[in-house]
Protein backbone atom coordinates (compact mmCIF):
# COMPACT_ATOMS: atom_id res chain seq x y z
CA UNK A 1 0.00 0.00 0.00
CA UNK A 2 1.20 3.51 -0.81
CA UNK A 3 1.25 6.00 2.06
CA UNK A 4 0.07 9.43 0.93
CA UNK A 5 -0.02 12.75 2.74
CA UNK A 6 -1.95 15.13 0.53
CA UNK A 7 -0.41 14.72 -2.91
CA UNK A 8 2.97 13.52 -1.57
CA UNK A 9 3.80 9.82 -1.57
CA UNK A 10 5.75 9.16 1.64
CA UNK A 11 6.49 5.52 0.76
CA UNK A 12 5.05 2.01 0.94
CA UNK A 13 3.85 -0.07 3.87
CA UNK A 14 6.24 -3.00 4.32
CA UNK A 15 4.50 -4.56 7.31
CA UNK A 16 2.38 -3.89 10.34
CA UNK A 17 4.08 -4.24 13.71
CA UNK A 18 2.39 -4.49 17.10
CA UNK A 19 4.29 -2.62 19.81
CA UNK A 20 2.50 -2.75 23.14
CA UNK A 21 -1.21 -2.15 22.60
CA UNK A 22 -0.80 -0.31 19.25
CA UNK A 23 -0.26 -1.33 15.66
CA UNK A 24 2.32 0.59 13.65
CA UNK A 25 2.82 0.82 9.91
CA UNK A 26 6.45 0.17 8.99
CA UNK A 27 6.95 2.39 5.95
CA UNK A 28 9.79 2.20 3.44
CA UNK A 29 10.34 5.83 2.49
CA UNK A 30 9.95 6.95 -1.12
CA UNK A 31 13.33 7.25 -2.85
CA UNK A 32 12.80 10.95 -3.63
CA UNK A 33 12.54 11.67 0.10
CA UNK A 34 15.51 9.44 0.98
CA UNK A 35 17.53 11.39 -1.60
CA UNK A 36 16.70 14.54 0.40
CA UNK A 37 18.37 12.99 3.45
CA UNK A 38 15.33 11.57 5.24
CA UNK A 39 15.28 8.15 6.92
CA UNK A 40 14.91 5.03 4.75
CA UNK A 41 12.14 3.64 6.99
CA UNK A 42 9.84 5.01 9.66
CA UNK A 43 6.82 4.06 11.77
CA UNK A 44 3.33 5.54 11.74
CA UNK A 45 0.96 4.61 14.59
CA UNK A 46 -2.21 3.09 13.13
CA UNK A 47 -4.58 5.40 15.00
CA UNK A 48 -7.18 7.96 13.86
CA UNK A 49 -4.86 10.86 14.72
CA UNK A 50 -2.51 9.83 11.87
CA UNK A 51 -4.49 7.54 9.55
CA UNK A 52 -7.29 9.42 7.79
CA UNK A 53 -8.49 6.81 5.33
CA UNK A 54 -7.48 3.42 3.95
CA UNK A 55 -8.52 2.36 0.45
CA UNK A 56 -7.54 -1.28 0.02
CA UNK A 57 -8.97 -1.41 -3.51
CA UNK A 58 -6.79 1.53 -4.62
CA UNK A 59 -3.91 0.27 -2.41
CA UNK A 60 -3.52 3.65 -0.66
CA UNK A 61 -3.47 4.83 2.95
CA UNK A 62 -4.00 8.56 3.47
CA UNK A 63 -2.27 9.99 6.55
CA UNK A 64 -1.82 13.31 8.28
CA UNK A 65 1.35 14.13 10.23
CA UNK A 66 3.31 11.33 8.54
CA UNK A 67 5.88 13.71 7.08
CA UNK A 68 6.50 15.13 10.56
CA UNK A 69 7.11 11.59 11.87
CA UNK A 70 9.48 10.90 8.97
CA UNK A 71 11.43 14.10 9.58
CA UNK A 72 11.77 13.19 13.28
CA UNK A 73 13.03 9.69 12.47
Amino acid sequence: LDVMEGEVCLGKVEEIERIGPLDYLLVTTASALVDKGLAATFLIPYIDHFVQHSDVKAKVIHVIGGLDLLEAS
Side-chain angles (χ1 to χ4, degrees), residues 14-68:
E14 286 301 313
E15 63 182 283
I16 298 173
E17 294 187 7
R18 175 153 299 234
I19 302 173
L22 294 177
D23 289 332
Y24 288 81
L25 303 173
L26 174 60
V27 180
T28 299
T29 308
S31 60
L33 297 174
V34 174
D35 291 345
K36 292 180 180 179
L38 296 172
T41 61
F42 66 106
L43 295 170
I44 298 176
Y46 196 83
I47 57 174
D48 291 342
H49 180 81
F50 292 105
V51 178
Q52 290 184 313
H53 175 70
S54 299
D55 187 340
V56 176
K57 199 175 245 188
K59 298 183 179 180
V60 175
I61 296 178
H62 295 276
V63 300
I64 189 163
L67 185 57
D68 293 334

